[in-house]
Amino acid sequence: MPGAAPDTAPGTGSATDPAATALIPRVASPTPAAVDSTALMGAVPQPPCEADATAEPATEEPAQPRRGERVIKLRPEQSADGYKSVHSELTRPTFRSRLRTGVRAAGEVLITFGIVVLLFAGYEIWGKSVIVNAHQNDLSQQLAEAWGPPGDPTVTPSTTSSSTPASAPPKVQGTPIAGLYIPRLDKNWIVVEGVTQKDLRYAPGHYPTSALPGQLGNFSIAGHRNRATFWRLDELDDGDVIVAEDRDNWHIYRVTRNHIVTPSEVAVVAPVPGEPGTKPTDAMLTLTTCHPKFDNYERLIIHAKLDRTQAKSAGRPAELGG
């Protein structure tokens, strides 16, 4: 413009108008650059380069099972006989599986057998006692009927009146002939006639060819080795009392010997024990039973000699608490 002062660049050392406003340098704006659209989201990973189609795929080594573990394949696989089931490894029998099955079956059989044996032993020890005691009560009533009202105060005969007919005696196994008492064992029985298995089932049995209670000779009695009968017979010692009872008398015997013999030694029940063919001079009593307990390959023998005889009219003997 004419008459205007020319512009001078600052710092050139030329004169400037002091009254003029200071010139502010002009800042040049940079050229806007292209903005990357992914700058705000982060870089997207690029897929790896495709492998050569002709290269074989890499195979991973299967993990080895740890000790004690077993790997079962989840898919059927081709075999010479066709496809193999995914469960074939589990269902195929092996020697170990057969052995385990055999051991398990044998164990179950042995456990069952053991339970049966225990039940049988329980019956032999406790069950038979209940049955024998019940039959002993019936035998006692039958013996009371046979002997009549007078006599033994320990055997109560059935009472009758003119208006009430007498009841028939109970029908039980065996024919009762005597009573037998062992105070030391706190036991007593009704003795029946006979020594067969049928006779001895519920009571001690009298050897038919031996003497009767109190008679000269050997009053011999056999019994089973169970808790209801001669279970504790081995506890008797010399001098212990055994009482035999008949219709009218008490016969008190005292033990003279307790010993074990073989089943073939039948001379123990001879009129003179151990001396067959010898004429007796004493009244003896012999008790025989199996030995040991729960077996029968030996015999336990108790011999006793008559000490005295007491009439029932005099009451119970002192040996029985009379």
Side-chain angles (χ1 to χ4, degrees), residues 145 158-168:
E145 292 286 347
S158 59
T159 58
T160 60
S161 64
S162 57
S163 59
T164 304
S167 60

Side-chain angles (χ1 to χ4, degrees), residues 157-301:
S158 59
T159 58
T160 60
S161 64
S162 57
S163 59
T164 304
S167 60
K171 295 181 179 180
V172 293
Q173 182 68 47
T175 302
I177 65 167
L180 183 68
Y181 302 79
I182 303 181
R184 177 173 179 178
L185 306 182
D186 193 24
K187 288 287 188 179
N188 65 277
W189 306 272
I190 301 299
V191 180
V192 299
E193 186 65 31
V195 291
T196 66
Q197 288 295 326
K198 185 177 180 181
D199 297 323
L200 301 180
R201 187 174 183 182
Y202 304 119
H206 169 244
Y207 284 85
T209 59
S210 67
L212 291 173
Q215 291 182 354
L216 199 65
N218 190 4
F219 177 42
S220 301
I221 301 172
H224 285 311
R225 194 77 180 272
N226 55 47
R227 286 190 177 273
T229 317
F230 287 167
W231 180 261
R232 299 171 55 199
L233 210 60
D234 57 326
E235 299 178 19
L236 294 181
D237 295 325
D238 292 355
D240 286 340
V241 171
I242 301 176
V243 179
E245 169 198 8
D246 60 19
R247 180 186 179 93
D248 301 314
N249 298 296
W250 303 98
H251 305 281
I252 296 91
Y253 296 82
R254 291 194 178 273
V255 174
T256 58
R257 189 181 181 190
N258 180 334
H259 63 119
I260 308 297
V261 301
T262 62
S264 61
E265 296 186 41
V266 295
V268 294
V269 295
V272 178
E275 301 179 17
T278 303
K279 186 176 180 179
T281 57
D282 295 315
M284 301 291 296
L285 179 145
T286 297
L287 305 180
T288 69
T289 190
C290 297
H291 182 81
K293 295 174 181 177
F294 301 114
D295 216 323
N296 62 353
Y297 58 85
E298 291 179 322
R299 297 291 183 268
L300 173 63
I301 308 299

Side-chain angles (χ1 to χ4, degrees), residues 95-173:
F95 173 76
R96 294 181 62 184
S97 65
R98 289 190 179 97
L99 180 62
R100 285 195 302 268
T101 302
V103 171
R104 186 182 301 113
E108 293 175 354
V109 170
L110 291 176
I111 291 174
T112 304
F113 179 74
I115 293 174
V116 172
V117 170
L118 288 176
L119 291 175
F120 178 75
Y123 166 75
E124 285 290 322
I125 295 175
W126 294 288
K128 273 191 174 181
S129 297
V130 177
I131 299 174
V132 170
N133 291 337
H135 280 76
Q136 282 286 311
N137 291 334
D138 294 340
L139 287 169
S140 178
Q141 294 180 31
Q142 184 172 326
L143 193 61
E145 292 286 347
W147 285 350
D152 180 16
T154 65
V155 179
T156 305
S158 59
T159 58
T160 60
S161 64
S162 57
S163 59
T164 304
S167 60
K171 295 181 179 180
V172 293
Q173 182 68 47

